[in-house]
Amino acid sequence: MYRKFFSLLCLFFLILLQALTAHGAEPLSLGKALSLAAENNPALAAGRQRIAQARERIRQAAAAALPQLGVSLLYQTADRDPVYPVFIGGQQVGYAQAGFRTTWNAALTLSRLIYSGGAVRYSVDSRRLALQGVEAAEKRTAQGVEWAVTSAWYDLRRAAGRLSVAEETLALAKEHLRHVQALFRNGVVAKNEVLRVEVSVSEAELGRIRAMNAVDVAWHGLSRAVGIPLRPVFTLTAEDAPDELSPLPSDPVAEGLSSRPEMRALDRAMHSALLSAKAARASGGPRVVLFGEIYRADDTFFPSKMDDWKITLQATWNFFDGGESSSRAREAKAAAEELLHQAEDLKRQIELEISVARTNFESSLRRIDVGKAMVAAAEEDYRMALKRYVAQVGTNIDVLDAAVALTNARNQLVEGVYDSKKARAEIDWAMGRTGKAFFKEAEE
């Protein structure tokens, strides 16, 4: 008795909480959830920062070819005055002062790389390709976020569908209880049959509580995918009509191989690594740098006595650097080979993902047809079992068994419907078709 009272009390509070939170809430659709995710999902925000980092790496590489301008202030002191000997006719005639014992030097310096053997150009091109690879990878991140939101959305709709089934099951159990109680009051059936149906009503109430809890859990899952709490701001409305599923392309595997952003990302990363290898080789070659300097020197601050300028053209070629440049080139080439093998593995992974999603989709479509037939047969079986019991030509067990069969059939139909929708969305994700809502947001 206490258990039944506790169950009814929990059910009351759950219904009251749902009514309070749903009042004044905005209806939530899949499109609205995707729009919210585009604005609030942290994975997308992190991806935008990774793209910004890649752009800054291009600027860092290009800066080496731009003029470098700087100022300097130097203070220097020595033990003796700097002098050098003066010779006339092969004979030393004295000493000339070569500077200041205490020196202050202020200079404005300009340097410009004239030639680097292509090291700077290869480095810039490498990082531009790396940027394209990062952008492609972030497109896949956006597709993953859209798939996560879509998957969580259909999980929520599935939980709501099972809750609807649980409510219908509870209504049928209460209807059966009314019939049994009427028969008991008329002395037609024994008390144990009333008790048995009361147990089935309690089980139906507990099933409804579990279904409501599953809906709450699904809401949390959708909120996690979107990136912000959705309740109590939004509420879930009943579906007006089943969505029509878009037809499958003739060759989804081929389209997936050509559309998946990871393939482009790996290709760009591989070519970027090859250019990095060229840049590493060129870094050990000849370099020509132009230096210009305007300076003032004196033995007091601020220097003004010696005002001069100089221009220097410097060519260097480091013939041996301990093997550093060649080692970096081999490292970059090995990275390119690694990415090539990863691309081959990715092709097989794409084929597997599309094939599994397509198999699940086709299977769920067949389950829908079977589920509809099951529901129709179970509803008729329950109707006949209840009529026979009321007419006392059937048993109470027949009605309870028919109710269980009807509940299972309805749940199987709900599972088939949302499995098919989820599998169809998974096919688009596996083919690289998703993420368009997020790309549009980024462009705007």
Side-chain angles (χ1 to χ4, degrees):
M1 183 67 184
Y2 291 106
R3 184 177 297 177
K4 180 179 179 182
F5 175 75
F6 179 73
S7 300
L8 290 173
L9 186 63
C10 291
L11 179 62
F12 171 75
F13 280 112
L14 286 172
I15 294 174
L16 180 62
L17 179 62
Q18 186 178 21
L20 290 175
T21 56
H23 180 69
E26 180 183 349
L28 183 67
S29 64
L30 177 57
K32 180 64 175 178
L34 291 173
S35 176
L36 290 171
E39 298 173 359
N40 301 285
N41 190 281
L44 297 176
R48 288 191 286 269
Q49 296 307 313
R50 282 190 288 270
I51 292 175
Q53 293 174 41
R55 290 199 179 102
E56 294 306 319
R57 293 190 192 103
I58 296 176
R59 294 187 178 96
Q60 292 170 22
L66 298 177
Q68 309 293 314
L69 181 65
V71 295
S72 63
L73 179 64
L74 178 143
Y75 169 76
Q76 186 178 35
T77 186
D79 182 48
R80 299 171 182 170
D81 289 330
V83 295
Y84 61 86
V86 178
F87 292 87
I88 298 177
Q91 297 293 323
Q92 181 177 352
V93 296
Y95 293 90
Q97 187 172 354
F100 305 100
R101 180 176 180 182
T102 299
T103 304
W104 290 88
N105 184 293
L108 176 65
T109 305
L110 176 68
S111 63
R112 173 68 185 272
L113 179 67
I114 304 299
Y115 177 76
S116 65
V120 175
R121 176 169 55 86
Y122 289 139
S123 180
V124 171
D125 292 344
S126 171
R127 297 190 182 190
R128 281 178 180 156
L129 287 173
L131 171 61
Q132 295 175 12
V134 171
E135 289 174 340
E138 295 315 316
K139 281 187 178 181
R140 188 55 180 171
T141 299
Q143 291 178 354
V145 170
E146 180 171 329
W147 161 238
V149 173
T150 303
S151 176
W153 167 260
Y154 285 130
D155 287 341
L156 175 59
R157 298 298 325 189
R158 183 204 314 274
R162 292 183 70 93
L163 175 59
S164 178
V165 171
E167 291 173 342
E168 293 171 354
T169 300
L170 180 59
L172 290 177
K174 289 181 177 179
E175 180 189 11
H176 184 200
L177 180 60
R178 287 194 297 271
H179 288 297
V180 175
Q181 288 173 339
L183 293 173
F184 174 72
R185 287 193 298 268
N186 292 325
V188 178
V189 298
K191 180 64 175 178
N192 69 311
E193 294 196 10
V194 177
L195 296 175
R196 178 64 186 274
V197 178
E198 287 179 348
V199 171
S200 72
V201 171
S202 298
E203 290 178 349
E205 288 173 346
L206 292 174
R208 185 176 185 275
I209 292 173
R210 286 192 293 267
M212 292 179 68
N213 180 71
V215 170
D216 291 336
V217 171
W219 270 108
H220 287 298
L222 182 59
S223 297
R224 170 67 181 84
V226 170
I228 57 171
L230 297 175
R231 300 182 81 183
V233 179
F234 296 95
T235 186
L236 193 65
T237 59
E239 288 185 306
D240 298 331
D243 298 331
E244 291 188 5
L245 300 175
S246 56
L248 292 177
S250 58
D251 193 351
V253 173
E255 184 170 342
L257 291 175
S258 62
S259 302
R260 283 280 285 261
E262 302 102 306
M263 297 298 296
R264 177 179 171 83
L266 285 175
D267 178 73
R268 294 297 181 269
M270 181 181 65
H271 285 86
S272 174
L274 292 174
L275 286 174
S276 294
K278 291 184 178 180
R281 291 192 191 94
S283 65
R287 291 170 61 89
V288 179
V289 183
L290 176 67
F291 295 97
E293 185 179 38
I294 301 174
Y295 65 94
R296 284 185 175 184
D298 201 344
D299 56 355
T300 60
F301 185 83
F302 187 84
S304 60
K305 287 183 179 178
M306 185 176 181
D307 191 350
D308 203 354
W309 59 270
K310 61 182 177 180
I311 295 178
T312 306
L313 185 64
Q314 182 184 42
T316 60
W317 191 341
N318 192 2
F319 292 101
F320 180 71
D321 59 0
E324 179 185 356
S325 58
S326 59
S327 178
R328 286 167 50 200
R330 289 193 298 270
E331 178 189 3
K333 187 175 181 181
E337 292 290 335
E338 176 192 359
L339 293 168
L340 181 62
H341 294 302
Q342 287 183 6
E344 290 299 321
D345 182 68
L346 179 60
K347 290 179 182 179
R348 294 175 175 82
Q349 181 65 26
I350 291 173
E351 292 175 1
L352 175 62
E353 290 174 355
I354 294 176
S355 299
V356 170
R358 184 174 184 175
T359 301
N360 290 337
F361 177 66
E362 293 171 349
S363 173
S364 59
L365 289 181
R366 292 193 295 269
R367 286 165 50 202
I368 291 175
D369 295 334
V370 174
K372 289 179 180 178
M374 284 178 60
V375 169
E379 287 176 345
E380 181 64 16
D381 180 47
Y382 179 79
R383 186 187 65 81
M384 293 175 62
L386 184 60
K387 276 195 168 186
R388 293 181 63 188
Y389 178 71
V390 172
Q392 283 299 289
V393 294
T395 65
N396 190 27
I397 299 299
D398 292 337
V399 180
L400 295 176
D401 289 344
V404 171
L406 178 57
T407 299
N408 290 336
R410 285 173 172 171
N411 280 329
Q412 289 299 323
L413 180 57
V414 169
E415 293 290 334
V417 168
Y418 289 105
D419 279 350
S420 65
K421 292 181 178 182
K422 190 172 178 178
R424 184 63 189 87
E426 186 177 5
I427 291 174
D428 285 339
W429 172 77
M431 292 170 55
R433 282 183 166 186
T434 54
K436 293 176 182 165
F438 303 118
F439 303 154
K440 184 178 180 182
E441 289 286 339
E443 290 170 1
E444 291 176 355

